[in-house]
Amino acid sequence: LTNIAMALMNDIDKDTVAFRLTYDDSDNEPTLMPAAFPNLLANGSEGIAVGMATSIPPHNLHELCDALLHLIDNREATIADLCAFIKGPDFPTGGIIIDSPEVILASYMSGRGSVRVRAKWEKETLSHGLYQIVITEIPYQVQKSKLIEHIADLFRDKKLPMLGNIRDESAEEIRIVLEPKNRSCPAEVLMESLFKQSDLESRVSINMNVLNSRSIPEVMNLKQILQEFLEHRNQIVLKRTAYLLGKLNHRLEILAGLKIAYLNLDEIIKIIREEDEPKPIMMKRFGLSDVQTEAILNTRLRSLRKLEEQEIVAELAKLEKEKLYLEGIASNDKKRWTLIKDEIKDIQKQFGFGTKIGDRKTALIPTDNIPHVMNIEAFVEKEAITVICSKMGWIRSVKSHITDSSAIKYKEGDEEGFILHCYTTDKILIFTDSGRFYTLLADNIYKGKGNGDSIKLLVDMGSDDIVNLMVFTPGIKFLVASSSGKGFLVESSE
């Protein structure tokens, strides 16, 4: 196991946690780990129990340790105070969290929320004014192969008019290369379109539904989880101290017996040689306990001859000093919390900033919440087309404005519905019998021979039927009326 994994099991052999039988009663297993660091927040957790879903993202261990140390010294610290140390989740796959500190704070205060994570990218300048975009980190739990497949599907369906090509050059490190359609296309605009339509931007949920120290499910805020961990460490230190005191008292008892044996070595040897049952006689004669007598009887003769009073006295003095220290830890809260702080600092030193696994991987760069308005028409080549839509909703486009529609063929049982003369840069308005308007970019309509695509594959209009199809013209009004005669005017721009 790695050192960080071993830190989860520190002192597991010192009666710090309870054990139970394994599922087949063949062995014992701990009911929980002693855990020298808050693993629940550090590594995160996801799962769905019976009606008890949980989703806790991973965090940076150095930041968690800073927050714990602050909470030990300031028990009344607010969640906002703790968020000065814990900036937000820290994902092993890196990426960029684009939510504001206020949004992250709200999630930590309630125990529920989400954060938006974007891929990390950079612009590489090529010759002749060309450039390419290189994605080096993708959001947490997004599969690279499915991500590339999805972007390729969007590219094929012409939903990314600014993208020219996509390549996967990844080896050990992520490297996804995006080529723009032309050099005049701004990299930021291209990436915004990808963030909007693909998993290059994903939302990671936060639902800190956990079992508390009484094994009761509860949605906790950030402070409550950190407090539970500190109380857990307090109990672990108390149990470890009690275990060490027990071992130490046992050793002190044996040393006291060995000291008596050293001072009365000849008499003890005589009792052992001459008596059939030397144990009760030695206990009565020298006032020894059962443990002390067993220790003397189990000591080899050679060792008995080498016993030196000074060594015994020196070890006794050392152990008495250790006993005083442990008793102080057990009885004095201040000393115990000082020890807990020292142990947290040691974990922070081993696995914090500057170590192989300790540096923050996910950057926090809040972006403006106002959506970027992109004029996609600027990146579509303007070309005259005729849009043909059948009554059954099969739509396609052909080049130029055709005047003779008699040559147009439809599926068996289908017939002409709408024929529009427009351009690839135009928007097509679709009005359905549910009273809703939908918008479709003309350039995204299937081009070529055949019957085209079902319009319901291009527009999420459910089971609605088309009432009218028209080219969007700004500044005009539509009269929308129902079969009962009621209606209203609506601006085309709306």
Side-chain angles (χ1 to χ4, degrees):
L1 293 176
T2 60
N3 290 335
I4 190 76
M6 292 301 292
L8 274 178
M9 299 189 291
N10 279 353
D11 304 323
I12 199 169
D13 56 346
K14 295 176 182 173
D15 291 346
T16 51
V17 292
F19 278 73
R20 65 186 173 200
L21 288 169
T22 53
Y23 71 98
D24 60 355
D25 295 348
S26 64
D27 208 340
N28 289 314
E29 63 181 6
T31 55
L32 74 165
M33 291 295 185
F37 63 94
N39 183 58
L40 182 67
L41 288 173
N43 277 318
S45 181
E46 281 194 19
I48 304 174
V50 182
M52 292 287 174
T54 184
S55 179
I56 303 174
H59 292 77
N60 184 271
L61 184 54
H62 190 105
E63 294 177 3
L64 291 174
C65 290
D66 278 340
L68 289 170
L69 294 171
H70 181 76
L71 192 55
I72 291 172
D73 292 333
N74 305 273
R75 294 293 179 167
E76 302 304 317
T78 64
I79 297 173
D81 295 334
L82 298 175
C83 282
F85 303 99
I86 302 173
K87 312 292 185 183
D90 186 22
F91 303 106
T93 50
I96 300 168
I97 293 175
I98 61 171
D99 284 313
S100 66
E102 291 74 25
V103 171
I104 297 170
L105 174 60
S107 299
Y108 284 147
M109 290 182 76
S110 65
R112 284 195 172 102
S114 63
V115 292
R116 289 180 298 158
V117 187
R118 282 186 171 183
K120 186 177 181 182
W121 63 278
E122 55 191 35
K123 179 180 176 181
E124 288 187 355
T125 305
L126 306 175
S127 59
H128 308 294
L130 299 174
Y131 73 88
Q132 63 184 18
I133 295 169
V134 178
I135 297 168
T136 55
E137 294 174 4
I138 59 177
Y140 185 55
Q141 292 186 328
V142 171
Q143 289 187 25
K144 186 195 69 173
S145 57
K146 288 187 177 180
L147 172 67
I148 293 172
E149 186 179 335
H150 184 216
I151 295 174
D153 288 342
L154 291 171
F155 178 63
R156 186 185 64 243
D157 296 341
K158 299 198 172 178
K159 293 181 179 179
L160 297 170
M162 291 165 281
L163 182 64
N165 193 18
I166 177 172
R167 296 194 310 276
D168 182 13
E169 297 181 357
S170 306
E172 290 183 3
E173 302 292 332
I174 296 281
R175 183 178 167 86
I176 302 169
V177 179
L178 306 174
E179 294 179 359
K181 199 162 190 177
N182 57 62
R183 71 185 72 181
S184 62
C185 169
E188 292 76 14
V189 176
L190 172 55
M191 287 307 297
E192 284 296 330
S193 67
L194 281 162
F195 288 142
K196 187 176 181 181
Q197 299 183 71
S198 74
D199 282 341
L200 284 174
E201 179 184 315
S202 69
R203 192 174 287 275
V204 179
S205 66
I206 297 175
N207 180 16
M208 299 199 285
N209 191 9
V210 301
L211 292 175
N212 62 22
S213 55
R214 301 181 303 283
S215 295
I216 298 171
E218 180 183 354
V219 177
M220 292 187 178
N221 60 40
L222 179 64
K223 182 178 179 180
Q224 287 173 316
I225 291 180
L226 293 176
Q227 285 174 326
E228 286 276 344
F229 172 75
L230 289 176
E231 184 51 39
H232 169 70
R233 285 307 301 166
N234 186 39
Q235 293 300 316
I236 294 297
V237 171
L238 278 171
K239 290 175 181 177
R240 182 184 67 198
T241 303
Y243 172 84
L244 293 174
L245 275 171
K247 289 284 186 183
L248 195 143
N249 286 329
H250 180 74
R251 181 60 181 165
L252 283 171
E253 185 180 355
I254 289 174
L255 285 174
L258 291 176
K259 185 178 178 182
I260 292 170
Y262 174 77
L263 295 173
N264 302 277
L265 188 56
D266 291 339
E267 191 174 350
I268 281 178
I269 291 172
K270 183 179 179 182
I271 292 171
I272 293 171
R273 289 187 64 185
E274 295 178 356
E275 300 295 336
D276 292 334
E277 295 291 335
K279 185 176 178 179
I281 296 170
M282 286 170 60
M283 290 174 67
K284 185 178 180 180
R285 170 70 181 83
F286 301 108
L288 299 170
S289 67
D290 184 79
V291 172
Q292 289 172 326
T293 311
E294 279 293 332
I296 293 168
L297 290 172
N298 290 330
T299 304
R300 293 182 179 181
L301 186 61
R302 181 182 298 172
S303 300
L304 279 173
R305 289 182 65 191
K306 288 185 176 181
L307 279 175
E308 291 187 13
E309 185 178 14
Q310 285 183 346
E311 289 182 6
I312 295 171
V313 170
E315 189 176 352
L316 275 168
K318 180 184 174 184
L319 294 182
E320 286 289 353
K321 190 175 179 182
E322 286 183 22
K323 182 180 178 181
L324 285 173
Y325 171 74
L326 291 173
E327 287 174 342
I329 295 295
S331 61
N332 190 308
D333 283 351
K334 188 176 180 181
K335 288 183 179 180
R336 190 162 60 255
W337 283 112
T338 300
L339 175 62
I340 292 170
K341 280 177 65 176
D342 290 340
E343 290 178 349
I344 291 172
K345 287 176 183 176
D346 184 54
I347 286 289
Q348 190 179 46
K349 185 178 178 181
Q350 289 184 65
F351 309 110
F353 293 158
T355 64
K356 186 177 180 181
I357 64 170
D359 290 330
R360 173 170 268 280
K361 295 172 178 63
T362 303
L364 293 106
I365 306 174
T367 59
D368 195 342
N369 289 326
I370 300 171
H372 293 260
V373 179
M374 294 179 293
N375 183 11
I376 294 177
E377 296 171 22
F379 304 99
V380 176
E381 188 177 347
K382 188 173 183 178
E383 184 181 1
I385 57 171
T386 301
V387 173
I388 303 160
C389 183
S390 72
K391 276 200 172 179
M392 293 177 65
W394 290 88
I395 192 168
R396 67 186 188 274
S397 67
V398 294
K399 287 185 177 181
S400 73
H401 294 163
I402 60 174
T403 53
D404 182 12
S405 61
S406 60
I408 300 173
K409 293 182 180 179
Y410 299 92
K411 281 188 174 184
E412 187 177 343
D414 203 357
E415 58 183 330
E416 179 183 311
F418 307 93
I419 295 179
L420 302 177
H421 291 164
C422 60
Y423 294 89
T424 51
T425 54
D426 285 333
K427 295 186 181 75
I428 307 299
L429 294 182
I430 305 157
F431 183 52
T432 68
D433 58 0
S434 66
R436 292 187 176 92
F437 279 96
Y438 298 90
T439 309
L440 180 64
L441 184 66
D443 189 57
N444 288 340
I445 297 172
Y446 173 83
K447 301 178 182 69
K449 297 178 181 179
N451 298 306
D453 290 327
S454 170
I455 198 166
K456 292 182 180 180
L457 293 176
L458 302 174
V459 179
D460 187 15
M461 51 193 282
S463 59
D464 293 358
D465 290 323
I466 301 171
V467 174
N468 207 344
L469 201 73
M470 64 208 84
V471 179
F472 167 71
T473 307
I476 64 169
K477 292 181 180 179
F478 295 121
L479 173 62
V480 182
S482 70
S483 55
S484 65
K486 293 183 178 181
F488 57 90
L489 284 172
V490 60
E491 290 276 355
S492 63
S493 58
E494 294 180 5

